[in-house]
Amino acid sequence: MAESMLPAHVGIIMDGNGRWAKKRLQPRTLGHRAGAQNFRTITRYASKLGIKYLTVYAFSTENWSRPAEEVGALLRLFKDYLEEALRDFMEENIRVRFIGDVSAFPQELRKLIAEVEEASAPKTGMVLNLAMNYGGRAEILRGARAFAADVRAGLCQPEDLTEERFDRYLYTAGQPAPDLIIRPSGEQRVSNFLLWQCAYAEFVYFDILWPDFKPQDLDRALEIYRSRQRRFGGV
Ligand code: IPE
Ligand code: IPE
Ligand code: MG
């Protein structure tokens, strides 16, 4: 595929882990483990393809409402995977960033998050945004508060706020908006993912559960993306 036909920024809503486990009569946490494993596979593949930005939705601001046992298992899994990611993605020249309110996570996990961000900061390859305790609405509110604080500090005026300027108050500041958002699992909804940024994203939905999503399915999504005609409101 010609490089120019590749979307610069791809978002993935990694959904369907629980149903994947249920189908196998296994606890949901086993599905999360399989999903985390697949996250590594797909991330490396995306990097190999030359995608510049990949944003993966790992934990939403609403996911805290799940049973404590499941949330606990997810947090442990994040810790294990971040440790591995540190080694793994470093070799692939991937820069890892976190989007979401990571201050809500336990101290040990926060420490690891800071380490991963710092260690991978000099990397020049694909930027991987890990959306953890991320919610699009929370992100927009956070940006609005930060802008209001700048106005109060006398740094700017309310009229100065443009779409371009507001972009700079988001976690994804400086990055292009997602061109393509993929959601496996069969659900066709956005579930609070990149609400501001997805204004003109192409959505591709698959009836595949995330742990079963293969590199070929990413190829398929890119093929579908290529066949779409983007108009951005024009003709
Ligand atoms: C996605 O899989 C992972 C997270 C939201 C953390 P789910 O856990 O939502 O799986 P389903 O949708 O219940 O199958
Ligand atoms: C979206 O999946 C969040 C993540 C994949 C992290 P959910 O399973 O939480 O979304 P809903 O509840 O089906 O909308
Ligand atoms: Mg789900």
Side-chain angles (χ1 to χ4, degrees):
M1 194 184 298
E3 186 120 328
S4 61
M5 300 302 267
L6 264 186
H9 187 169
V10 175
I12 303 181
I13 301 176
M14 303 190 290
D15 193 23
N17 295 346
R19 279 164 282 176
W20 185 90
K22 196 173 172 206
K23 258 175 52 184
R24 286 163 177 74
L25 308 175
Q26 296 288 337
R28 291 177 58 84
T29 49
L30 197 98
H32 292 314
R33 195 156 283 280
Q37 188 57 44
N38 200 38
F39 149 74
R40 277 173 78 182
T41 306
I42 298 298
T43 298
R44 292 169 109 162
Y45 187 63
S47 155
K48 209 167 290 150
L49 288 179
I51 287 165
K52 299 259 185 311
Y53 296 88
L54 177 70
T55 301
V56 295
Y57 204 6
F59 192 85
S60 77
T61 47
E62 287 72 45
N63 288 147
W64 296 105
S65 67
R66 296 186 178 201
E69 192 192 294
E70 181 169 343
V71 172
L74 279 166
L75 296 184
R76 281 193 295 281
L77 202 59
F78 291 152
K79 202 172 90 39
D80 291 351
Y81 270 81
L82 286 183
E83 272 163 2
E84 287 181 31
L86 198 55
R87 279 177 266 124
D88 227 37
F89 296 156
M90 292 299 274
E91 281 170 30
E92 315 256 333
N93 198 26
I94 294 172
R95 177 169 184 189
V96 186
R97 299 185 67 259
F98 292 83
I99 65 171
D101 180 12
V102 297
S103 73
F105 291 124
Q107 155 71 21
E108 215 184 344
L109 184 54
R110 283 195 334 251
K111 189 166 160 269
L112 211 54
I113 285 172
E115 276 170 23
V116 173
E117 274 198 324
E118 199 191 314
S120 76
K123 296 293 169 187
T124 54
M126 185 176 81
V127 173
L128 170 69
N129 295 315
L130 271 167
M132 282 178 37
N133 194 22
Y134 174 87
R137 287 184 165 190
E139 178 184 38
I140 293 166
L141 282 188
R142 175 179 172 271
R145 285 199 194 104
F147 177 73
D150 282 352
V151 171
R152 189 170 53 192
L155 297 171
C156 48
Q157 294 300 314
E159 312 72 75
D160 296 336
L161 191 58
T162 58
E163 292 184 7
E164 290 69 31
R165 185 162 188 154
F166 193 63
D167 260 326
R168 289 190 245 144
Y169 287 91
L170 301 176
Y171 290 119
T172 51
Q175 303 186 4
D179 303 290
L180 167 66
I181 293 181
I182 304 167
R183 182 166 192 162
S185 91
E187 309 301 349
Q188 303 196 355
R189 55 177 171 256
V190 73
S191 299
N192 209 6
F193 187 49
L194 302 177
L195 292 186
W196 171 275
Q197 299 89 334
C198 79
Y200 275 101
E202 296 293 329
F203 283 82
V204 171
Y205 297 105
F206 283 134
D207 267 324
I208 303 170
L209 302 170
W210 170 248
D212 289 331
F213 187 95
K214 301 269 176 309
Q216 301 91 280
D217 297 312
L218 181 56
D219 287 337
R220 210 148 57 88
L222 294 171
E223 196 64 40
I224 294 170
Y225 171 80
R226 210 152 53 123
S227 72
R228 298 268 178 92
Q229 205 196 347
R230 302 183 80 188
R231 279 189 286 273
F232 300 95
V235 286

